[in-house]
Amino acid sequence: MAGKVKWVTDIEKSVLINNFEKRGWVQVTENEDWNFYWMSVQTIRNVFSVETGYRLSDDQIVNHFPNHYELTRKDLMVKNIKRYRKELEKEGSPLAEKDENGKYLYLDFVPVTYMLPADYNLFVEEFRKSPSSTWIMKPCGKAQGKGIFLINKLSQIKKWSRDSKTSSFVSQSTKEAYVISLYINNPLLIGGRKFDLRLYVLVSTYRPLRCYMYKLGFCRFCTVKYTPSTSELDNMFVHLTNVAIQKHGEDYNHIHGGKWTVNNLRLYLESTRGKEVTSKLFDEIHWIIVQSLKAVAVNASPSLTSSTANDRILKYNLINDTLNIAVPNGEIPDCKWNKSPPKEVLGNYEILYDEELAQGDGADRELRSRPGQSLGPKGGRSRDSGRTVLTTWK
């Protein structure tokens, strides 16, 4: 038993257990000494609650940062990103630069969003500026598309309020919190359908921030072609990509699950939009991920449920590569070990951001580079000859 990693999990998923067992690790119970505990979100909350005051030993690690909800809850994510932008403004950071209309040049990646019921009056004021716009409402603490709906009239909000058994937006304690965001009504479509991206990011440490992007992410497609028509606002097969929604659609394919690999997406975009535009897009996606992590200094909670055979293979390999980074050489964890693992053990991960490396290269590395656009000597934007500028913020 000595020298073997002792593991616990309260999530009975084969992609986890098979990875633990193939390493020769020893399963124990949560009441015994353990080194690695893959916890559900609820267990994380219970174990690391203020009441318990639980602290990890130097030889223990878990799969979540205790304050992961600062990123995974929709309302807290928006709050943290807004706060992060304000802090950068106060510091005079070039990242917080705005254009003549007051729009962030580098941090404008969150649509106009309010919390309901708290921000109801602010929302109404904004709604009346563009009364023909469409908004999407999402419950803050739910997943898999539950409770999401679209509105384009204030009367629909009032109906929601009545249906939620509260007569006034003043009474907030009896009402579930929602976020309401301006709906992106001209999304990028493939085959006429909406899609989203499921990307996996491993955060191994926050001090310094070090994170890895998994190369084998995927896209999830709607089963019904997109239309901005108000007559289809209630058709979630048009608007939401969640598998929990789409699997009930008539055209859902249970073999491939309505999914594409990110590599296939990239090839498609390169063939239809060009390599330069595609590279810029993925660079900006990486930029958003890093800035979001910096805004909350947390981890996310990806689903480990497999809807297809390819899903199962992907998630098994994802867990395998994650464990190779989080538990180097399969040895008992040591909190004092804080080095970047060698490239050969990363598997399908690639380093996305390493704060220790970035700190040695000055503030200019904090700004993403764009094709044909780079930082001038005073933090302003200067045009070059149109060549692609290498990514410099990593």
Side-chain angles (χ1 to χ4, degrees), residues 103-110 197 199 213 266 275-293 352 366-373 381 388-394:
K103 184 178 177 181
Y104 287 101
L105 290 174
Y106 305 109
L107 297 171
D108 181 40
F109 53 80
V110 177
L197 294 174
L199 304 175
M213 169 68 78
R266 187 156 198 152
K275 284 196 172 184
E276 187 173 312
V277 168
T278 303
S279 294
K280 179 176 180 287
L281 168 67
F282 278 88
D283 188 38
E284 291 187 347
I285 289 172
H286 295 164
W287 161 265
I288 289 171
I289 292 168
V290 171
Q291 297 308 314
S292 299
L293 291 171
L352 182 60
E366 284 296 330
L367 282 162
R368 63 182 170 183
S369 293
R370 302 175 176 184
Q373 184 171 302
R381 289 159 292 138
T388 301
V389 183
L390 293 176
T391 303
T392 59
W393 52 267
K394 288 183 181 176

Side-chain angles (χ1 to χ4, degrees), residues 58 65-66 111 130 239 292 353 373 387 390:
D58 287 355
F65 288 91
S130 305
H239 297 285
S292 299
Y353 182 82
Q373 184 171 302
R387 63 183 173 82
L390 293 176

Side-chain angles (χ1 to χ4, degrees), residues 106-287:
Y106 305 109
L107 297 171
D108 181 40
F109 53 80
V110 177
V112 178
T113 301
Y114 298 97
M115 315 302 168
L116 293 183
D119 296 336
Y120 178 69
N121 291 333
L122 290 172
F123 161 70
V124 170
E125 185 180 333
E126 184 68 29
F127 182 91
R128 285 176 174 155
K129 293 178 185 175
S130 305
S132 60
S133 56
T134 298
W135 296 72
I136 185 167
M137 287 191 65
K138 301 182 179 184
C140 295
K142 292 183 179 176
Q144 299 183 320
K146 294 187 182 87
I148 297 177
F149 60 97
L150 279 65
I151 65 111
N152 63 349
K153 295 184 180 71
L154 283 178
S155 59
Q156 292 164 301
I157 294 273
K158 291 169 183 172
K159 180 181 184 301
W160 164 76
S161 177
R162 288 194 302 273
D163 292 346
S164 300
K165 298 184 176 61
T166 180
S167 59
S168 166
F169 279 92
V170 176
S171 175
Q172 297 179 23
S173 59
T174 60
K175 185 163 188 54
E176 181 180 17
Y178 269 67
V179 294
I180 185 164
S181 301
L182 189 61
Y183 191 55
I184 299 172
N185 60 8
N186 61 336
L188 176 64
L189 305 175
I190 295 180
R193 291 170 169 82
K194 277 187 69 174
F195 67 97
D196 73 356
L197 294 174
R198 178 52 55 97
L199 304 175
Y200 299 96
V201 178
L202 169 64
V203 183
S204 59
T205 170
Y206 261 98
R207 294 178 183 165
L209 176 61
R210 187 177 297 130
C211 53
Y212 304 84
M213 169 68 78
Y214 200 62
K215 289 183 272 189
L216 303 182
F218 56 88
C219 314
R220 307 182 301 181
F221 285 84
C222 287
T223 54
V224 178
K225 288 190 175 183
Y226 176 75
T227 171
S229 169
T230 55
S231 64
E232 293 289 350
L233 286 187
D234 294 332
N235 188 344
M236 293 300 105
F237 297 124
V238 170
H239 297 285
L240 301 184
T241 59
N242 308 73
V243 173
I245 301 287
Q246 294 295 329
K247 69 182 181 181
H248 300 294
E250 291 180 8
D251 297 323
Y252 181 73
N253 185 307
H254 290 272
I255 298 173
H256 58 64
K259 295 175 181 176
W260 260 15
T261 65
V262 166
N263 286 339
N264 282 345
L265 172 66
R266 187 156 198 152
L267 288 171
Y268 172 83
L269 292 175
E270 286 177 352
S271 66
T272 56
R273 305 295 179 108
K275 284 196 172 184
E276 187 173 312
V277 168
T278 303
S279 294
K280 179 176 180 287
L281 168 67
F282 278 88
D283 188 38
E284 291 187 347
I285 289 172
H286 295 164
W287 161 265

